[in-house]
Amino acid sequence: MLTRIDHIGIACFDLDATVEFYRATYGFEVHHCEVNEEQGVREAMLRINGTDDGGATYLQLLEPIREDSAVGKWLTKNGEGVHHVAFGTADVDGDAEAIRDKGVRVLYEQPRRGSMDSRITFLHPKDCHGVLTELVTSAPAAEEDAGH
């Protein structure tokens, strides 16, 4: 069962400048940074608030580290902006299967590693009214990790 909006992914050309905008404008601070080689991005997670299920809601800022990454291709086509919406779940495997059974294409056969050691998969935007949708199961200690 989906429990919260885990994060909103925002594609950007310059991660440092975008982080500074969100810090200076809204007071959001970086909770976690990493490079995800598999996804081809450098990212920053800005924690917005805690949630009833013990998780949190974030803005995920994504800068491609190579042009052929999904985010790199998306930026070339669309420019900066909202890239995807992610919903939190305790069971990414079960929820992905249940959604697949309803006729929605799930992009990964098996969930992959995401930010902060989460497990993720994506739903095809053409099956979700034009919205690239991610399902996320947070790593057990993800909320406690304030590392950069």
Side-chain angles (χ1 to χ4, degrees):
M1 178 175 114
L2 305 180
T3 57
R4 68 182 185 282
I5 294 176
D6 185 86
H7 66 271
I8 297 173
I10 300 172
C12 61
F13 291 110
D14 182 335
L15 184 66
D16 297 327
T18 307
V19 164
E20 178 55 25
F21 169 81
Y22 281 97
R23 189 204 59 73
T25 306
Y26 305 115
F28 298 153
E29 296 295 337
V30 173
H31 176 79
H32 178 86
C33 288
E34 71 180 83
V35 173
N36 185 321
E37 294 288 344
E38 181 182 3
Q39 300 290 326
V41 296
R42 187 168 78 105
E43 62 181 80
M45 298 293 277
L46 284 61
R47 189 175 190 275
I48 308 306
N49 67 315
T51 60
D52 290 345
D53 68 357
T57 299
Y58 301 91
L59 287 180
Q60 179 187 46
L61 306 179
L62 301 158
E63 175 189 56
I65 58 173
R66 56 181 193 269
E67 291 179 16
D68 68 339
S69 69
V71 172
K73 291 176 186 176
W74 190 90
L75 270 170
T76 298
K77 181 178 177 184
N78 300 294
E80 293 184 308
V82 174
H83 180 261
H84 66 274
V85 175
F87 294 106
T89 173
D91 182 11
V92 69
D93 299 273
D95 283 339
E97 189 61 34
I99 291 169
R100 180 183 282 120
D101 289 347
K102 294 176 182 177
V104 174
R105 287 174 281 180
V106 178
L107 299 183
Y108 302 154
E109 190 61 37
Q110 297 295 320
R112 297 181 182 178
R113 182 195 167 279
S115 300
M116 300 184 291
D117 289 322
S118 61
R119 296 185 69 241
I120 65 166
T121 195
F122 285 90
L123 309 178
H124 200 294
K126 289 184 179 178
D127 298 342
C128 299
H129 298 270
V131 178
L132 179 61
T133 303
E134 182 179 3
L135 304 180
V136 179
T137 297
S138 297
E143 298 309 320
E144 299 167 18
D145 174 21
H148 296 266

